[in-house]
Amino acid sequence: ADELFQGLGRQSGIDRLVDTLVPLLLADVRLGNSLQDPNIDMVHFKQKLAEQFCDLSGGACKYSGKDMATIHDGLDITAAQFYALVEDLQLAMDREGVTPAMQNRLLARLAPMFRDVVTR
Ligand code: HEM
């Protein structure tokens, strides 16, 4: 069941993936400036993202952050922004050597979050 967790390189691979992903998100003008808010604790954000990827991929973690609808409520996130994040994640996974099969598996587990994240 934890084949995806292995495919992402276990905890250390997931941590590297998040370290590669977050600068891409911060630099992506398509995402708008919600992530540039100085009130966002980026250390916390990265920890929660890594924990979520670990949980979703079958690692021995339980996501302990806010639920996706609550945290993204009021950010007016569009479908285009959701897909832009997915593209950044694909690029980060390419850079970290995650195989296409494993990339697709992680993306498939994120897809159901669309309805909670996209509100505009
Ligand atoms: C599959 C898509 C997405 C996933 C899995 C995801 C995941 C997360 C996670 C785990 C957190 C931290 C939760 C916490 O602190 O408890 C978060 C926060 C946040 N996300 Fe997303 N997110 C997604 C899409 C997006 C998109 C498209 C945007 C648009 C720019 C976005 C903007 C934000 C912002 C601004 C925060 C920080 C909110 C705050 O700390 O007040 N997210 N997201």
Side-chain angles (χ1 to χ4, degrees):
D2 67 350
E3 201 190 337
L4 177 54
F5 182 65
Q6 302 283 351
L8 294 174
R10 309 185 62 88
Q11 194 60 57
S12 59
I14 289 171
D15 290 342
R16 280 196 301 276
L17 176 61
V18 168
D19 281 341
T20 299
L21 173 63
V22 168
L24 295 175
L25 299 180
L26 292 173
D28 190 339
V29 296
R30 297 173 299 177
L31 293 178
N33 56 13
S34 62
L35 284 164
Q36 327 285 339
D37 184 335
N39 293 315
I40 296 173
D41 176 348
M42 271 299 146
V43 173
H44 169 93
F45 174 73
K46 284 165 83 166
Q47 279 168 354
K48 292 305 156 201
L49 205 52
E51 194 178 73
Q52 191 182 49
F53 288 170
C54 171
D55 190 348
L56 278 175
S57 66
C61 324
K62 186 86 191 80
Y63 176 63
S64 65
K66 293 188 181 150
D67 70 81
M68 289 293 96
T70 303
I71 195 85
H72 298 100
D73 183 46
L75 293 175
D76 272 349
I77 295 171
T78 64
Q81 287 177 321
F82 184 92
Y83 295 127
L85 180 143
V86 167
E87 276 182 27
D88 292 336
L89 176 57
Q90 285 177 304
L91 182 59
M93 290 192 289
D94 280 341
R95 290 190 180 166
E96 293 304 327
V98 177
T99 65
M102 293 297 154
Q103 292 191 20
N104 287 337
R105 280 216 214 169
L106 180 61
L107 296 177
R109 290 179 196 188
L110 294 175
M113 296 176 182
F114 183 97
R115 72 178 82 87
D116 290 327
V117 170
V118 175
T119 55
R120 187 158 68 104

